[in-house]
């Protein structure tokens, strides 16, 4: 495999300083506010973003060490393949969250529904477009019976 190197474009600022006891998905962080402080050199890339109500954030799980191809995810007690989960202990420690965009001011985005650890490096930002990104009738595998519990589930440190 060829090595791929990414340079962060910004940093997430959130109230979550410890990976334990934080929401495991944005649905469990409704109304939790944070910011994304973009590198000022990338600020021009935010042009026209304020017209979107949600954005997709790709980020580096910077506190995750190593990876496991099978994990026991937060919403289950059964070991699952890492690619059938959203657990952070991945071969490429990349996370994804869809956040509500509140404001764009210079190189700073104010966002809500933040389920991301403070200080997390941001790799990319994309607009969320319901016509492209929402598939409500699709299957959700083993999560079909447990996904509603993500609203109240908190991390327990198993991936720290």
């Amino acid at each position: 495999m060829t090595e791929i190197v990414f340079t962060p474009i910004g940093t997430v600022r959130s109230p979550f300083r410890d990976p334990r006891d934080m929401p495991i998905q944005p649905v469990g962080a409704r109304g939790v506010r944070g910011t994304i402080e973009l590198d000022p050199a990338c600020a021009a890339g935010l042009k026209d973003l304020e017209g979107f109500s949600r954005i997709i954030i790709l980020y580096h799980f910077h506190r995750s060490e190593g990876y496991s191809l099978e994990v026991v995810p937060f919403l289950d007690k059964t070991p699952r393949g890492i690619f059938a989960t959203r657990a952070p202990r991945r071969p490429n420690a990349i996370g994804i969250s869809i956040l509500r965009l509140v404001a764009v001011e210079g190189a700073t985005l104010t966002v809500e529904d933040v389920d991301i650890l403070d200080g997390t490096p941001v790799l990319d930002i994309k607009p969320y477009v319901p016509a492209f990104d929402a598939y409500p009738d699709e299957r959700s595998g083993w999560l079909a019976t447990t996904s509603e519990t993500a609203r109240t589930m908190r991390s327990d440190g198993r991936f720290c």
Side-chain angles (χ1 to χ4, degrees), residues 64-86:
S64 182
E65 295 180 11
Y67 69 92
S68 302
L69 294 177
E70 287 189 17
V71 297
V72 177
F74 293 121
L75 299 176
D76 201 12
K77 293 183 170 113
T78 303
R80 304 285 180 178
I82 190 68
F83 303 125
T85 76
R86 293 190 173 187

Side-chain angles (χ1 to χ4, degrees), residues 9-152:
I9 61 169
T11 304
V12 172
R13 294 295 171 209
S14 81
F16 305 112
R17 308 274 188 288
D18 188 324
R20 290 170 190 81
D21 199 37
M22 60 183 283
I24 62 165
Q25 292 295 322
V27 71
R30 292 282 194 241
V32 174
R33 195 167 273 211
T35 59
I36 296 172
E37 297 172 356
L38 218 57
D39 180 328
C42 295
L46 297 175
K47 181 180 182 218
D48 303 317
L49 191 64
E50 71 279 350
F52 295 87
S53 59
R54 292 199 174 267
I55 54 176
I56 301 168
I57 305 300
L58 298 170
Y59 51 91
H60 173 60
F61 285 122
H62 67 295
R63 299 265 304 266
S64 182
E65 295 180 11
Y67 69 92
S68 302
L69 294 177
E70 287 189 17
V71 297
V72 177
F74 293 121
L75 299 176
D76 201 12
K77 293 183 170 113
T78 303
R80 304 285 180 178
I82 190 68
F83 303 125
T85 76
R86 293 190 173 187
R89 195 161 287 147
R90 318 182 71 74
N92 289 308
I94 298 171
I96 182 171
S97 290
I98 299 173
L99 306 179
R100 178 171 303 285
L101 180 61
V102 176
V104 179
E105 297 174 30
T108 301
L109 304 178
T110 301
V111 292
E112 284 186 350
D113 305 341
V114 178
D115 67 329
I116 307 169
L117 196 62
D118 186 64
T120 295
V122 174
L123 302 175
D124 201 3
I125 300 167
K126 298 178 184 291
Y128 174 83
V129 182
F132 305 162
D133 300 320
Y135 299 93
D137 298 330
E138 298 301 320
R139 297 179 317 218
S140 54
W142 66 270
L143 282 162
T145 59
T146 62
S147 61
E148 284 301 312
T149 59
R151 293 181 190 282
T152 58

